[in-house]
Amino acid sequence: MTPDDTLKAFLTAATPGPRDAIFEIAVAERVARRRFWMSQAALLPWVLVACLLTVFALPVLRVMGPALVPLAEQVGMIGGVALLTLVTAGLLVRRLRPS
């Protein structure tokens, strides 16, 4: 047996078998699940900060509540108009996009 034959036999013996799609899907699912939970864990400190700010701001908001009603109505109206504008723009962009 020549060295070329030995190398050829070695390389053909090491060819991978057929791919197992079920195993690949299971591994991809585990990776996606781990990424999801890691992203949720990364958001946890921000949620805690928001809760603490809300707890500390609550007494101030109770005192200022009656004075903030007109402001809240204005912010709600502006937010509604802005949301309607963004949705309309998004629909128009999707509709008018060249194919």
Side-chain angles (χ1 to χ4, degrees):
M1 193 180 238
T2 66
D4 288 335
D5 293 335
T6 307
L7 182 61
K8 187 175 183 180
F10 176 73
L11 291 177
T12 56
T15 56
R19 295 175 63 175
D20 187 8
I22 296 173
F23 173 75
E24 289 180 5
I25 291 172
V27 170
E29 181 183 358
R30 283 184 30 212
V31 169
R33 193 177 305 269
R34 184 179 309 140
R35 285 183 182 168
F36 170 77
W37 285 114
M38 292 304 288
S39 66
Q40 297 304 308
L43 290 175
L44 187 61
W46 293 106
V47 171
L48 295 175
V49 167
C51 289
L52 283 174
L53 287 175
T54 304
V55 167
F56 289 128
L58 195 59
V60 174
L61 291 176
R62 283 193 180 145
V63 170
M64 294 179 58
L68 292 177
V69 170
L71 178 66
E73 290 173 355
Q74 294 291 329
V75 169
M77 181 64 79
I78 292 170
V81 170
L83 180 66
L84 183 62
T85 303
L86 286 175
V87 168
T88 305
L91 289 174
L92 286 174
V93 166
R94 282 187 85 185
R95 189 76 135 135
L96 300 176
R97 183 183 315 156
S99 298

